[in-house]
Amino acid sequence: MQVIGLKAFKDNYIWVIQEGEQLAIVDPGQAEPVLDFLRNNQLSPSVILLTHEHNDHIGGLAQMLEHYPNCQVIGPSEVSGLVDKVVKDGDSFDLFGYQVEVFKTAGHTKEHISYLVDDKLFCGDALFSAGCGRVFTGDFQAQFEALQVFNSLGDQILVYAGHEYTLTNLAFAMEIEPDNREIADVYKRVNQQREDGLASLPSTIGLEKKINLFMRAKSVEEFTKLRKKRDQF
């Protein structure tokens, strides 16, 4: 299984899951980058996976379906009017011979979900490298619980988040923990990647357990304090 990242907007990623000639698209916030990729490679998708309801993750769906009307769309209940199949926490389904596990990872939105397939985590805006999404619901407990879901996963799991926010998240982490050499070293590495025009993703759960202050928070109170500081950073 191969995963290809397509850039969208300023800092979004649309992920393409490819197994031979079979393709699934994760969070097509913009149709044009996906359609260009498909045309250039003479490929057609059969599945679209949605993590949550925000327009920068679903905005290209209608245009995608105009070109590929037979695509099956899968997503959480908050986008139930857009999907063929609603999935929830604890569900699993087959994707090109691989089992996909579904986790509720709310907080950013009320019914945000993440997908785990073949040691690859597609987590939308619930988890970023060295960060997590803003808690637009105000339900910090839900977002804290989502982070515990990620903490429970194996260190080898690859993290395919929805945005390229890594440098800013690491800069925030260095402000909070200025003596943390590991965070500083990762910042230098990611900064060089970005200067070279490369993505910082995927990360791994093992790395996030070390550099992601939000995943390391021991209580919802500690997490809430950190998240509010990050909102003002």
Side-chain angles (χ1 to χ4, degrees), residues 50-121:
L50 305 178
T51 61
H52 67 291
E53 65 185 356
H54 287 161
N55 194 60
D56 63 328
H57 290 255
I58 66 172
L61 179 62
Q63 190 176 350
M64 286 288 302
L65 292 176
E66 288 178 8
H67 288 80
Y68 303 98
N70 294 323
C71 254
Q72 182 187 30
V73 184
I74 299 172
S77 59
E78 65 187 22
V79 292
S80 59
L82 303 176
V83 304
D84 303 301
K85 180 177 181 179
V86 171
V87 290
K88 63 184 186 306
D89 186 58
D91 284 349
S92 63
F93 59 91
D94 178 84
L95 180 70
F96 313 146
Y98 296 91
Q99 184 181 49
V100 180
E101 297 177 63
V102 180
F103 303 98
K104 183 174 181 178
T105 49
H108 184 69
T109 64
K110 189 176 180 181
E111 299 295 335
H112 191 299
I113 60 173
S114 298
Y115 302 92
L116 179 63
V117 51
D118 188 36
D119 284 350
K120 298 171 177 62
L121 177 70

Side-chain angles (χ1 to χ4, degrees), residues 20-68:
E21 296 296 307
Q22 302 177 101
L23 292 184
I25 310 298
V26 183
D27 284 352
Q30 222 177 359
E32 289 81 2
V34 185
L35 295 174
D36 287 345
F37 170 81
L38 296 171
R39 281 192 293 264
N40 291 339
N41 292 280
Q42 297 182 320
L43 294 168
S44 298
S46 57
V47 181
I48 296 173
L49 304 177
L50 305 178
T51 61
H52 67 291
E53 65 185 356
H54 287 161
N55 194 60
D56 63 328
H57 290 255
I58 66 172
L61 179 62
Q63 190 176 350
M64 286 288 302
L65 292 176
E66 288 178 8
H67 288 80
Y68 303 98

